[in-house]
Amino acid sequence: MCLRQLSGWMALGAPVLFVSNLFALVFGGMVVFASLGYGVEADKAAGRPARST
């Protein structure tokens, strides 16, 4: 609708919102999996030494 009315700045808001939501979901997933120790269990299962933080 915004592009049809030649409101380019308003039309830019939809992709910006999509990208910001995408980054928020990816970051949230990283935090959840890291807090649950998912990477540590995968390293143990693969026989890799534990990481030191």
Side-chain angles (χ1 to χ4, degrees):
M1 293 299 293
C2 292
L3 286 176
R4 187 172 141 195
Q5 296 174 358
L6 299 176
S7 298
W9 287 110
M10 292 291 284
L12 186 63
V16 169
L17 179 63
F18 173 78
V19 170
S20 66
N21 283 335
L22 180 67
F23 284 136
L25 286 170
V26 170
F27 181 73
M30 288 171 38
V31 168
V32 167
F33 284 122
S35 67
L36 293 175
Y38 181 78
V40 175
E41 291 178 12
D43 285 343
K44 286 181 184 176
R48 291 184 284 243
R51 298 178 190 171
S52 61
T53 56

